[in-house]
């Protein structure tokens, strides 16, 4: 299953609105004979890729897959049919499919005499490459990760407006790799006017570019870097987080990286539309300057937005914190 998770991570960002699934096939003796991951929309799913590589050796073997095999005919046939045709005797999957149109794969396999086990490394899958898609399938909204870099006292810019560079080179390289794996990056029009960001993924892992999304009613300045041809840009003339997410869902966007300034972050936080916080805290003090968050709809300490910290680790000299809203 760990190999299947790694395979799904390698295709994250290339499969939306389909899930980035990974699959490993073992023969009857338990030897690995096939491995694969979901291809771009309209192409083969992970099970089909792995079974094709396994060939006849899949018969009587085991398929290990990160998501319950689909049981519906969309742009491609059901993965359940492919598994049955290959003659696998056992299927082990991590997460159940929450999409009612595609669910039922485990039940169909059992009815056909295939042994099915579920839940293996389910938490790792749910917090890993399938996090955004599972959220999208359950809510109909893209998953939003608010990423920001700040000093240890919570400042994202100095009093003169300068903010380059708060985080380390290691953190910036990691963020570029993250950009290459999401569907869209969202910022406010104010950030475009003040900072003129390119909002592209750069570096060795940047083999694709996400959709650049600018939120705000005002016009963008001529010559802004987001208007170049390095990647596609959408200017959504609204400040309503729900309107933004509805339009992105319509476009098939599943995984969103929110990189806007404190006002936009506050609007998404107040609307309870931040699904994960990814903070890079640099070992610096500014003492004054722009805070990471403004106007989040909190007026008293009892209304504070509670978070559950998933992970605290180092990225170069910076502290990396991943947290999700408290349930």
């Amino acid at each position: 299953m760990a190999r299947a998770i790694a395979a799904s991570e390698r295709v994250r960002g290339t499969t939306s609105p389909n899930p980035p699934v990974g699959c490993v096939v073992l023969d009857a003796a338990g030897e690995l004979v096939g491995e694969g991951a979901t291809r771009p929309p309209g192409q083969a799913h992970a099970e089909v890729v792995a079974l094709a590589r396994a060939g006849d050796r899949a018969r009587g073997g085991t398929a290990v897959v990160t998501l319950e095999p689909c049981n519906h005919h969309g742009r491609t046939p059901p993965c359940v049919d492919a598994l049955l045709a290959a003659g696998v005797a056992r299927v082990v999957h991590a997460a159940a499919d929450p999409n009612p149109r595609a669910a039922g794969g485990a039940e169909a396999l059992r009815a056909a005499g295939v042994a099915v086990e579920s839940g293996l490394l389910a938490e790792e899958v749910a917090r890993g490459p399938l996090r955004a898609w599972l959220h999208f399938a359950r809510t109909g909204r893209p998953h939003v990760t608010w990423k920001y870099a700040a000093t240890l006292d919570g400042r994202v810019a100095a009093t003169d407006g300068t903010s380059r560079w708060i985080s380390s080179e290691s953190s910036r390289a990691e963020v570029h790799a993250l950009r290459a794996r999401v569907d869209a990056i969202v910022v406010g029009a104010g950030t475009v006017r003040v900072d003129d960001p390119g909002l592209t993924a750069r570096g060795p892992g940047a083999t694709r570019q996400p959709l650049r999304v600018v939120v705000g009613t005002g016009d963008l300045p001529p010559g802004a870097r987001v208007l170049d041809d390095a990647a596609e840009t959408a200017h959504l003339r609204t400040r309503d987080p729900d309107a933004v997410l509805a339009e992105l869902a319509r476009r098939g966007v599943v995984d969103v990286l929110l990189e806007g300034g404190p006002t936009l972050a506050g609007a998404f936080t107040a609307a309870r539309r931040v699904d994960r916080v990814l903070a890079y805290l640099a070992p610096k003090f500014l003492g004054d300057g722009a805070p990471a968050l403004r106007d989040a709809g909190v007026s008293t300490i009892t209304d504070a937005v509670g978070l559950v910290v998933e992970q605290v680790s180092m990225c170069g000299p910076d502290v990396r914190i991943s947290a999700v809203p408290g349930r």
Side-chain angles (χ1 to χ4, degrees), residues 132-194:
W133 184 85
L134 289 170
H135 171 88
F136 183 80
R138 290 170 181 143
T139 67
R141 296 192 307 271
H143 179 277
V144 177
T145 295
W146 171 37
K147 186 280 302 178
Y148 71 93
T151 60
L152 207 56
D153 57 341
R155 305 293 175 175
V156 296
T159 53
D160 64 355
T162 56
S163 60
R164 296 184 179 183
W165 295 103
I166 284 178
S167 61
S168 67
E169 185 176 345
S170 298
S171 295
R172 298 196 299 274
E174 185 172 282
V175 169
H176 278 292
L178 176 60
R179 284 178 172 182
R181 298 197 302 272
V182 299
D183 298 324
I185 300 173
V186 176
V187 301
T191 294
V192 171
R193 285 189 284 268
V194 173

Side-chain angles (χ1 to χ4, degrees), residues 85-113:
V88 299
R90 177 171 171 247
V91 172
V92 179
H93 67 87
D97 193 331
N99 182 352
R101 290 183 59 246
E107 183 179 343
L109 289 166
R110 289 192 183 99

Side-chain angles (χ1 to χ4, degrees), residues 32-250:
L32 192 149
V33 293
E35 185 173 334
T38 305
R39 289 178 176 167
Q43 300 182 38
H45 290 190
E47 296 93 323
V48 174
V49 176
L51 289 169
R53 291 173 178 165
D56 292 340
R57 296 185 67 182
R59 189 162 300 279
T62 298
V64 180
V65 62
T66 56
L67 182 67
E68 178 185 5
C70 66
N71 192 36
H72 82 299
H73 200 299
R75 282 179 284 192
T76 57
C79 292
V80 166
D81 291 357
L83 291 163
L84 294 176
V88 299
R90 177 171 171 247
V91 172
V92 179
H93 67 87
D97 193 331
N99 182 352
R101 290 183 59 246
E107 183 179 343
L109 289 166
R110 289 192 183 99
V114 177
V116 179
E117 300 173 30
S118 62
L120 179 64
L121 297 188
E123 183 64 23
E124 287 85 342
V125 167
R127 288 171 54 175
L130 281 182
R131 181 201 295 260
W133 184 85
L134 289 170
H135 171 88
F136 183 80
R138 290 170 181 143
T139 67
R141 296 192 307 271
H143 179 277
V144 177
T145 295
W146 171 37
K147 186 280 302 178
Y148 71 93
T151 60
L152 207 56
D153 57 341
R155 305 293 175 175
V156 296
T159 53
D160 64 355
T162 56
S163 60
R164 296 184 179 183
W165 295 103
I166 284 178
S167 61
S168 67
E169 185 176 345
S170 298
S171 295
R172 298 196 299 274
E174 185 172 282
V175 169
H176 278 292
L178 176 60
R179 284 178 172 182
R181 298 197 302 272
V182 299
D183 298 324
I185 300 173
V186 176
V187 301
T191 294
V192 171
R193 285 189 284 268
V194 173
D195 294 336
D196 192 24
L199 301 182
T200 55
R202 300 184 292 278
T207 56
R208 60 177 293 278
Q209 295 296 336
L211 173 68
R212 301 180 292 190
V213 180
V214 182
V215 175
T217 56
D219 291 337
L220 302 181
R225 293 172 65 196
V226 294
L227 299 178
D228 62 24
D229 59 2
E232 182 184 357
T233 297
H235 183 191
L236 305 184
R237 294 178 180 272
T238 177
R239 294 189 180 93
D240 180 5
D242 283 329
V244 171
L245 295 178
E247 173 59 21
L248 293 181
R250 189 189 67 79

